[in-house]
Amino acid sequence: DGKPLPFAKPTVQFNSTGAAGFTVLSNNAIQATAPAGVTTGTIRVITPAGSAFSATNFVVLPTVTSFSPTNGIAGTSVTINGANFNVGTPVVKFNGATSSSVTGVTANQLTATVPSAATTGPISVTTTDGTGTSLTLFYLPPKIVSFTPTNSAPDTSVTINGTNFTGASSLKFNGTTASFIVSNNFIIRATVP
């Protein structure tokens, strides 16, 4: 009918899902933002002259977005939410300690049991595509192993050794509140009140 064909706008797709946005940087480069819910697969660029697929897959790492409960003891079942958990057999770690029980695995959720070697820290999920780590910490109850000196006068500095001190909000000597500084997950420095 003599009408010119409409110009097809360039498109970028991640495994057949449209990019959240993209910018053509040059004839040889595009900067694209992966869309929410993206899955592992090829990247496709569609132009007025045709389309091209990437030679390799864009790999989506697992992502940990939340977990419940946020604290507990060894043996606690923790439901972990996120994305891309169902690629291969996922390995869940609590601050580096591997859970021996991972069940109910779906793309967006799984359940793991807190291992006995766990300490307060992030939760990570590793699949064949990579590792995703929580931005928040899973807390285990504190445990005091030793303190030095074992006796002293008020205003003396005491070093307390143990585990799971991160996030400590209160410290008491026989019921009396003391000032303290958490050096790390294993050491607290307190002043005898």
Side-chain angles (χ1 to χ4, degrees), residues 31-191:
Q31 182 177 17
T33 302
V38 66
T39 56
T40 296
T42 58
I43 296 174
R44 181 180 185 191
V45 176
I46 303 169
T47 68
S51 66
F53 289 89
S54 60
T56 58
N57 283 341
F58 173 78
V59 177
V60 180
L61 301 177
T63 304
V64 177
T65 55
S66 66
F67 49 86
S68 179
T70 58
N71 59 72
I73 60 172
T76 301
S77 287
V78 179
T79 300
I80 302 166
N81 300 299
N84 306 310
F85 292 159
N86 61 340
V87 180
T89 302
V91 174
V92 177
K93 293 184 179 183
F94 290 78
N95 202 25
T98 304
S99 174
S100 61
S101 175
V102 178
T103 59
V105 178
T106 67
N108 301 315
Q109 190 177 77
L110 54 79
T111 301
T113 302
V114 178
S116 58
T119 57
T120 294
I123 296 175
S124 66
V125 176
T126 301
T127 69
T128 53
D129 284 345
T131 300
T133 303
S134 65
L135 297 177
T136 57
L137 304 181
F138 180 83
Y139 292 94
L140 284 102
K143 179 180 178 182
I144 297 173
V145 174
S146 65
F147 51 91
T148 308
T150 58
N151 57 61
S152 65
D155 294 326
T156 302
S157 179
V158 176
T159 299
I160 303 168
N161 299 293
T163 57
N164 304 316
F165 293 154
T166 299
S169 59
S170 176
L171 187 142
K172 296 180 180 183
F173 284 79
N174 197 26
T176 303
T177 302
S179 62
F180 67 96
I181 296 173
V182 177
S183 297
N184 57 48
N185 203 28
F186 309 100
I187 298 173
I188 289 179
R189 301 197 192 288
T191 302

